Amino acid sequence: MPFDILIENKTSFTAGSIVQLDADGQENFVVVLSASFSVSEDGAIVVAEEQVPVIFGDEPFRDGAFSSNRYEADIASHKPGVEVIVNGMAYAPGGKPVQEMQVGLRIGSVRKVLRVVGDRSLAMGSFSAPDPFVKMAIVYERAFGGATADGRVYEKNPVGIGFGKARSPDTTVTSEAPNIFYPTDNINSLASQPRPAGFGVIGRGWQPRLKLAGTYDPHWIDTQWPLPPKDFDPRYNLCAPADQQMERLVGNDQVSLVGMTKNGRWDFRLPHVIAPVHLVYADRVEYERFIADTIIIEPDLSRVTLKSRFCRIIERIQPPLLAVVFGYVTPAYLLAMRKRKTHLPLGAAERHTDDRPQWSQ
C-alpha cells in the first residue's frame, strides 16, 4: 500500500490522506484538505485559530451507538456534488421564550426552512401545548423517528422521537413529541408520521441513504467481497440531507442563516481557498485546485469549514507519485522533490513564498 507518499502542507489549514479500494480492486489514493474560517457577525472572515481536522472516523455528538453524528469521516474518494452541513441551535428572537419558531438556511440553490416547537407531553392520544424555550439544539434526536422497546426501528432516523411512542435516546430530551419538523408537516397526535427533519449529518445506515450503498447479498459475498459492490452509487458519499445538496458552488457564494444565532441572522460570503496543490510524480508535476465539496457551518463557534478532496488511482507500472504539496513553493523546490534531493532556499523569492495569500473573499 502506498503510504510512503509524502504529504507536505505549507498552508494554515489541515490535510490528510487515505487509501481506498474501489469496486474493481484499484487502490485509490485520496487526499483531503480542510480549511476552517472564523466569521464575525458582520461577515468579516479570518483563518480560524482552531482548524477542523481531516478525520478518519465518524464523530458523534454523544455515545456513537445512540447518537447522530457531528462530523462524518473524510474517507470518501469522491462526492458527486456539494453538500452543506449545519450544526447549530435555534435561538428565540430577542432571547424571549417562544413556543415555536422557524429557522432557515440559504446558500447557492439551497433554500430550507424548519419549524422548531417546544417540548410537549402526550395525554389521551394527543399532545399538549408546547412549553416555551429560549434555545434548542437542532439535532435528529429531536426529530421524528426512534426505536421502540419491542425492537422496531424507524430506518430514516433511528435516534429520533415519536415513532411508536419512542423516546429520544438523548436523556436530556424530555419531550414526548418531536421538536423539529418541516413547516408543511403536522405533528398533532401519535398517528402523525412527519419527515425526519434537520440540518446535520444523515447516518451511514439510515434510509434513504443506505439504499445507495449497493447490494450486499450472497452473490456479492461469492464474487466481490471484500470490495464494494458493483452497484455502489457515489451519491452515498453525500451525508447531508438531499435538500442541502447542490451541483456546484458558483464562487463567492452568499450564506444566510436565520434563527440560529442570538442576533437572529447571520450573513456572510464563503471564502475561497486559492493556495495551489502540487502532485509530484517522479517524471512530472501536476496541479489541482481547491474545489470545496463539503461545507460545515457551526454558528455557535462562528466557524465555517470547507473541505476539498481529490483522488488518484495508483498505477504500479507508471512513474510513482512521490509527494503532494499544499501551498506555494518554487519550481526549484518541486524539482528537488522529484529528484529526491534536499532543497536549500536561495534568494528572497524562495524565502517569501509563504507570504502569498492562501484564500480570498
Side-chain angles (χ1 to χ4, degrees), residues 53-71:
V54 176
I55 61 173
F56 300 105
D58 297 346
E59 293 191 4
F61 283 101
R62 306 178 332 278
D63 180 348
F66 304 98
S67 171
S68 57
N69 286 327
R70 182 187 303 272
Y71 306 123

Side-chain angles (χ1 to χ4, degrees), residues 1 4 18 28 82 89 93 97-98 128 130 138-139 153 174 189 196 205 260 285 290 327:
M1 302 292 279
D4 58 343
I18 190 172
N28 288 257
V82 181
M89 304 187 74
V98 295
S128 66
I138 306 173
V139 290
V153 177
T174 59
S189 69
M260 286 184 270
V285 177
F290 184 102

Side-chain angles (χ1 to χ4, degrees), residues 250-328:
V250 299
N252 205 26
D253 298 76
Q254 177 74 38
V255 179
S256 295
L257 295 180
V258 177
M260 286 184 270
T261 56
K262 292 180 179 179
N263 69 353
R265 188 180 181 97
W266 191 28
D267 297 299
F268 61 93
R269 291 191 179 276
L270 283 183
H272 177 54
V273 177
I274 58 177
V277 181
H278 312 267
L279 284 76
V280 183
Y281 289 84
D283 64 337
R284 67 193 188 279
V285 177
E286 295 182 357
Y287 299 91
E288 285 281 351
R289 293 187 303 121
F290 184 102
I291 300 177
D293 60 24
T294 306
I295 313 297
I296 304 173
I297 303 172
E298 298 172 287
D300 290 329
L301 300 176
S302 301
R303 185 171 68 189
V304 59
T305 299
L306 289 72
K307 297 198 176 191
S308 175
R309 79 200 63 236
F310 59 87
C311 175
R312 288 292 187 275
I313 294 177
I314 302 300
E315 299 180 274
R316 301 295 184 179
I317 62 174
Q318 298 296 325
L321 176 62
L322 303 177
V324 180
V325 182
F326 295 96
Y328 296 102

Side-chain angles (χ1 to χ4, degrees), residues 22 44 51 70 102 114 117 131 143 153-154 156 160 177 188 206 216 255-256 260 284 300 307 316 318 320 330 350 359:
D22 62 22
Q51 292 287 309
R70 182 187 303 272
Q102 289 190 338
L114 296 179
V117 175
D131 293 334
V153 177
Y154 190 72
K156 293 182 179 180
N188 299 319
W206 301 7
Y216 298 82
V255 179
S256 295
M260 286 184 270
R284 67 193 188 279
D300 290 329
K307 297 198 176 191
R316 301 295 184 179
Q318 298 296 325
T330 63
E350 293 198 61
W359 63 281

